[in-house]
Amino acid sequence: TSNEMWGGRFAARPDAIMEAINASIDVDRRLYAEDIAGSIAHSAMLADRGVISAEDAAEIKTGLETIRGEIEAGTFNFSTSLEDIHMNVEARLAELIGPAAGRLHTARSRNDQVAVDFRLHVKAACFAVVEALDAFTAALLDRAEEHAATVMPGFTHLQVAQPVTFGHHCLAYVEMAARDRSRCLDAISRMDESPLGSAALAGTGFPIDRHATAKALGFREPTRNSLDAVADRDFALEFLSLAAICATHLSRLAEELVIWSTPQFGFIRLSDAFSTGSSIMPQKRNPDAAELVRAKPGRINGALISLLTVMKGLPLTYSKDMQEDKAQVFDAIDSLLLAIRASTGMVKDLTVNEAAMRRAAGHGYSTATDLADWLVREAGLPFREAHHVTGRAVKLAEDRGVALDALSLADLQAINPAITDGVYAVLSVDASVASRTSYGGTAPDNVREQIRLWRERIAQR
Ligand code: ARG
């Protein structure tokens, strides 16, 4: 029995192991809708240009739509010996409509076909990421508004640094999400070119209209170089890069949610809907969703390194190596969307323990910088000296096991005689955050203004 796909040139069937290593259908069947859309656009264009008849194009379209229905109904019979989604669809089309099916592949190769399918898929994924990020941002803004003045400790080195507001902390993630979103839009604008009609690698002698197929498929324009078009996987690499950065951001929030929800911190309570219990310890509430979001960069970074490694050193143009491009990109798309959606859900649902946050904000001498700043402002000390004086005050308070504002004026004046009663006004956590009015600072009014500006920007998108 000869080969199912290229019977002309090949007398023997492939070895079973060859079939196993060569087939990609289990992965690329995910591209069925893009493949069918690409084929419909291509055949319609061929008919418009008189390369095939209008009747054949109509039959091809009807057949392809039937196939789409079969795949969506789960009745399509995917075959490994037909390698990939492209050959599976084409073979079924031949069964359904007969000889007209053989005209579909005129002026086309699987090389430009897979490139167009994959681009369409990654482009759609980018739009889905933008949408998911928008929902995430909306959730963060709502929580920021609610907690514009909720004081919590800000950390460096995970040590209490200075008081900030929870609203300000939420807005930090709004900024990251906005950069991720804009990276997504940038990537879309670069990938918005149709490779269809580049054929195998050199273009084609048929009088095709690549601008028409590009337009029909929603691309801005056709690619300009046929060799580049079939060899390029930058669009996938760019998606994976932005996905890795975005997942990294989400993992940092996830880690904070894990820490904050411990009984030791008790800053937040994750909802039942985003927590799990333990099969043995009845008291447990585990932040599994946050932990899984924290772990997603493992997969996504892996996908990026994997595809960079596949593409590295590949001579132009298409090599079968490139079939290894899809599995990990698909996994990265799913992982990223889930991570964004889970983060959104957790942020929406979590309960803030304002008292615990405020208490913690007052611990660890978080207003020591405010004391130093006061010495600069009111006593004219150089900042370095003020830093030193404050350090001694902190040491004294620490030795006594009390907060800074529990030291008496006499104690403080013993450290530096320029200190007056007025200093106590800056030692509270509320005074500290209210004083941080520099542009981008944590003062509640700043936070409210930034929320207003974000809402305005979003309304204009
Ligand atoms: N399944 C292949 C892939 O994903 C389609 C392109 C095959 N082209 C070829 N010349 N063998 O890359």
Side-chain angles (χ1 to χ4, degrees):
T1 58
S2 102
N3 190 289
E4 268 179 76
M5 292 177 293
W6 13 87
R9 172 76 174 75
F10 283 68
R13 286 193 57 81
D15 190 275
I17 296 296
M18 174 59 193
E19 233 176 64
I21 194 172
N22 200 35
S24 57
I25 187 62
D26 287 340
V27 171
D28 60 27
R29 54 196 283 177
R30 175 158 161 163
L31 295 175
Y32 80 90
E34 290 87 351
D35 197 67
I36 287 169
S39 291
I40 290 175
H42 183 68
S43 54
M45 177 278 292
L46 290 179
D48 282 348
R49 303 302 307 227
V51 178
I52 65 173
S53 71
E55 296 72 46
D56 283 348
E59 272 194 75
I60 288 170
K61 182 165 190 249
T62 312
L64 288 170
E65 279 163 355
T66 303
I67 292 170
R68 181 163 51 207
E70 290 174 353
I71 294 175
E72 280 164 7
T75 58
F76 190 91
N77 187 16
F78 290 102
S79 152
T80 308
S81 62
L82 288 167
E83 276 194 38
D84 56 25
I85 186 65
H86 324 295
M87 299 308 278
N88 269 269
V89 169
E90 195 182 313
R92 177 68 182 139
L93 188 64
E95 278 174 20
L96 286 172
I97 68 167
R103 303 197 185 276
L104 167 61
H105 213 53
T106 314
R108 187 177 77 168
S109 150
R110 276 189 298 162
N111 295 349
D112 59 337
Q113 191 178 354
V114 73
V116 79
D117 293 1
F118 197 25
R119 265 190 202 236
L120 283 170
H121 195 81
V122 174
K123 198 179 135 189
C126 284
F127 280 116
V129 168
V130 166
E131 214 179 292
L133 284 174
D134 287 348
F136 178 53
T137 302
L140 287 166
L141 284 174
D142 286 347
R143 300 322 297 266
E145 190 148 53
E146 214 178 307
H147 293 286
T150 301
V151 176
M152 68 177 281
F155 299 89
T156 60
H157 314 265
L158 197 56
Q159 304 284 324
V160 171
Q162 295 176 347
V164 296
T165 67
F166 183 59
H168 198 51
H169 201 101
C170 290
L171 289 187
Y173 286 100
V174 168
E175 297 286 339
M176 293 177 235
R179 291 194 297 274
D180 291 332
R181 183 185 197 276
S182 106
R183 265 184 283 277
C184 230
L185 295 176
D186 287 350
I188 289 170
S189 82
R190 271 184 292 277
M191 73 178 72
D192 207 7
E193 298 175 350
S194 170
L196 190 59
S198 299
L201 76 165
T204 175
F206 289 101
I208 60 171
D209 183 352
R210 295 192 54 218
H211 289 85
T213 49
K215 187 157 178 249
L217 293 170
F219 287 105
R220 188 183 56 233
E221 57 189 322
T223 54
R224 289 162 299 280
N225 181 294
S226 60
L227 300 175
D228 175 52
V230 297
D232 166 42
R233 292 295 181 272
D234 290 11
F235 62 91
L237 289 171
E238 238 186 302
F239 170 75
L240 292 174
S241 308
L242 73 87
I245 296 173
C246 180
T248 299
H249 291 151
L250 298 173
S251 79
R252 297 180 75 170
L253 174 61
E255 167 70 346
E256 294 185 325
L257 298 180
V258 169
I259 295 174
W260 294 346
S261 62
T262 57
Q264 288 73 18
F265 269 74
F267 286 7
I268 60 161
R269 185 180 169 89
L270 292 167
S271 68
D272 286 358
F274 284 96
S275 305
T276 56
S278 156
S279 57
I280 171 170
M281 298 165 284
Q283 86 285 8
K284 288 295 287 283
R285 286 176 65 80
N286 293 327
D288 290 31
E291 294 170 283
L292 288 163
V293 172
R294 187 172 61 183
K296 289 299 182 197
R299 300 168 82 118
I300 297 173
N301 295 354
L304 172 60
I305 298 304
S306 167
L307 186 56
L308 283 169
T309 309
V310 166
M311 297 308 293
K312 182 206 162 292
L314 276 191
L316 300 189
T317 52
Y318 180 87
S319 298
K320 197 62 174 258
D321 309 50
M322 288 161 67
Q323 180 165 281
E324 294 289 320
D325 58 3
K326 285 171 223 68
Q328 315 236 25
V329 171
F330 292 163
D331 186 70
I333 292 170
D334 297 341
S335 299
L336 183 64
L337 286 172
L338 258 179
I340 302 172
R341 288 169 186 155
S343 302
T344 307
M346 286 188 287
V347 167
K348 267 190 179 160
D349 278 15
L350 63 81
T351 321
V352 173
N353 186 338
E354 295 185 28
M357 282 187 176
R358 166 174 292 274
R359 218 177 304 120
H363 289 160
Y365 307 101
S366 66
T367 57
T369 315
D370 298 273
L371 173 55
D373 288 349
W374 184 91
L375 287 164
V376 169
R377 226 172 27 241
E378 306 294 329
L381 266 58
F383 183 77
R384 273 292 149 242
E385 197 184 328
H387 185 283
H388 196 77
V389 168
T390 306
R392 288 175 57 203
V394 169
K395 172 99 176 47
L396 180 65
E398 198 174 51
D399 288 346
R400 298 212 183 137
V402 298
L404 263 185
D405 60 0
L407 292 176
S408 70
L409 187 58
D411 285 336
L412 290 170
Q413 285 174 339
I415 294 168
N416 189 295
I419 298 178
T420 68
D421 208 28
V423 77
Y424 290 101
V426 303
L427 294 182
S428 79
V429 292
D430 289 292
S432 175
V433 296
S435 75
R436 300 290 197 263
T437 54
S438 58
Y439 187 76
T442 193
D445 284 345
N446 278 19
V447 170
R448 290 189 192 99
E449 173 65 1
Q450 287 300 326
I451 294 167
R452 194 185 65 73
L453 289 169
W454 272 117
R455 295 206 190 282
E456 210 172 271
R457 250 173 248 137
I458 288 167
Q460 278 160 15
R461 270 171 185 169

